[in-house]
């Protein structure tokens, strides 16, 4: 049997609960914003539906019958449970979503496009934690972190976003000064920009050249940065050639502030994942962010 058939009208139950709690039809009417006569009608209809009295009508007051006291106790618990569940959902919906990402992903991929996500989710408050040190999802209070790798992490559930490819990038001004750099030998002879890798899955110069068919000792960069963001900033400033992860530098390539030096490209193992904690259900906002990032991906690594 459906709840609609099994239960009396909800308005009658609400009127009864208020009158039972306040021991007064008139005070219940004030709380509910209706007339005392309306409360009386609702409770009389409930009593008719049940076939027994719920209140004893005394001079200027009412008191619950035994049946009324039983129903009032059960309704109070049920309504409190429902109110608590609604409060939890409202807190969850309006809660702050803590998002962790590397400095590079935050600066190059997330922040330039974040306004589109916030426009689609205006009630969601975000806190962005940008750091290259690994985040412990079980301990650090993060709701979703963006990682690059093979998709297997013990502290979370991985939601695949996209793979990537690595190309060589430099500024137009650098290429204008140094002329065309169209062979691997010319690349190795040019000023190169390296970076420290926050994760072993990240590709370095030696890895990239070996994947392009030139194994051997890795070239020594003319400039090495401890953050990938600084390596890209140096390339933008015309300091040399660096490895460009297409999903991160696509905006600079589209604007023409960076250009692809050669047609060579390498597709590394792994991919980008949005990872939610394994020890608790993911927040709806975390899954919405993962879906949005995945939807942004098809044009990113073309």
């Amino acid at each position: 049997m459906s709840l609609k058939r099994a239960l009396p009208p909800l308005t009658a139950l609400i009127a009864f609960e208020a009158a039972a709690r306040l021991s007064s039809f008139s005070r219940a009417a004030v709380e509910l914003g209706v007339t005392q006569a309306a409360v009386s009608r609702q409770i009389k209809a409930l009593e008719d539906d049940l076939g027994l009295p719920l209140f004893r009508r005394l001079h200027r007051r009412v008191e619950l019958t035994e049946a009324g006291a039983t129903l009032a106790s059960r309704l109070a618990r049920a309504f409190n449970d429902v109110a608590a569940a609604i409060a939890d959902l409202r807190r969850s919906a309006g809660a702050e979503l803590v998002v962790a990402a590397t400095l590079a992903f935050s600066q190059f991929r997330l922040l330039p496009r974040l306004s589109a996500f916030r426009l689609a989710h205006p009630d969601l408050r975000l806190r962005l934690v940008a750091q290259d040190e690994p985040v412990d999802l079980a301990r650090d209070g993060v709701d979703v972190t963006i990682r690059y790798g093979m998709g297997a992490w013990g502290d979370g559930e991985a939601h695949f976003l996209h793979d990537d490819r690595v190309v060589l990038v430099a500024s137009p001004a650098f290429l204008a000064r140094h002329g065309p750099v169209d062979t691997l030998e010319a690349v190795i002879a040019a000023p190169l920009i390296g970076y420290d890798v926050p994760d072993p899955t990240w590709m370095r110069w030696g890895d990239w050249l070996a994947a392009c068919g030139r194994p051997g000792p890795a070239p020594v960069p003319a400039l090495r940065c401890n953050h990938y963001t600084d390596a890209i900033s140096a390339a933008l400033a015309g300091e040399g050639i660096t490895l460009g992860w297409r999903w991160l530098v696509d905006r600079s390539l589209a604007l023409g502030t960076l250009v692809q030096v050669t047609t060579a490209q390498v597709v590394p193992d792994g991919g980008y994942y949005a990872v939610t904690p394994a020890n608790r259900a993911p927040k709806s906002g975390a899954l919405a962010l993962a879906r949005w990032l995945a939807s942004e991906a098809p044009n990113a690594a073309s």
Side-chain angles (χ1 to χ4, degrees), residues 40-297:
S40 296
R41 285 195 300 272
Q42 292 285 356
I43 293 174
K44 182 63 169 63
L46 181 59
E47 291 175 325
D48 291 345
D49 181 270
L50 298 174
L52 47 81
L54 300 173
F55 286 98
R56 284 187 286 271
R57 278 77 168 172
L58 305 174
H59 181 61
R60 293 187 177 179
R61 66 187 180 91
V62 294
E63 64 180 32
L64 290 165
T65 64
E66 185 177 348
T70 299
L71 180 60
S73 176
R74 296 284 186 87
L75 272 183
R77 288 199 298 270
F79 282 169
N80 285 337
D81 285 346
V82 172
I86 295 298
D88 287 344
L89 290 173
R90 283 173 173 163
R91 280 194 297 271
S92 176
E96 184 177 70
L97 182 70
V98 182
V99 182
T102 63
L103 295 171
F105 195 93
S106 173
Q107 181 173 327
F108 298 137
R109 188 78 208 170
L110 189 55
L111 286 174
R113 297 166 175 82
L114 197 59
S115 59
F117 178 75
R118 292 178 61 79
L119 187 64
H121 302 273
D123 297 329
L124 189 62
R125 294 185 294 114
L126 296 176
R127 177 172 176 250
L128 181 58
V129 178
Q131 62 181 51
D132 288 340
E133 295 76 17
V135 167
D136 186 338
L137 286 171
R139 186 192 63 204
D140 292 345
V142 171
D143 298 312
V144 57
T145 183
I146 311 303
R147 292 174 176 168
Y148 191 91
M150 304 305 294
W153 293 281
D155 62 342
E157 180 180 355
H159 309 266
F160 180 72
L161 301 177
H162 206 259
D163 54 13
D164 207 346
R165 60 194 67 185
V166 183
V167 298
L168 303 186
V169 296
S171 71
F174 172 84
L175 292 179
R177 290 197 310 270
H178 287 267
V181 184
D182 49 10
T183 66
L184 292 183
E185 288 70 23
V187 169
I188 294 169
L192 303 182
I193 304 170
Y195 50 86
D196 295 338
V197 293
D199 187 280
T201 58
W202 269 62
M203 186 164 283
R204 291 168 289 191
W205 272 108
D207 305 319
W208 191 89
L209 289 167
C212 289
R214 190 194 176 282
V220 178
L223 173 65
R224 187 163 68 92
C225 304
N226 69 328
H227 291 299
Y228 183 69
T229 51
D230 290 340
I232 294 300
S233 295
L236 288 166
E239 292 295 325
I241 301 170
T242 195
L243 301 175
W245 293 71
R246 284 294 306 267
W247 211 31
L248 300 182
V249 300
D250 68 326
R251 192 176 183 87
S252 295
L253 291 171
L255 293 172
T257 53
L258 288 177
V259 295
Q260 187 169 329
V261 174
T262 72
T263 58
Q265 60 181 11
V266 174
V267 180
D269 295 333
Y272 295 96
Y273 292 82
V275 188
T276 54
N279 61 343
R280 64 181 188 270
K283 289 184 179 180
S284 59
L287 297 180
L289 179 66
R291 288 191 295 269
W292 173 74
L293 286 169
S295 72
E296 287 275 301

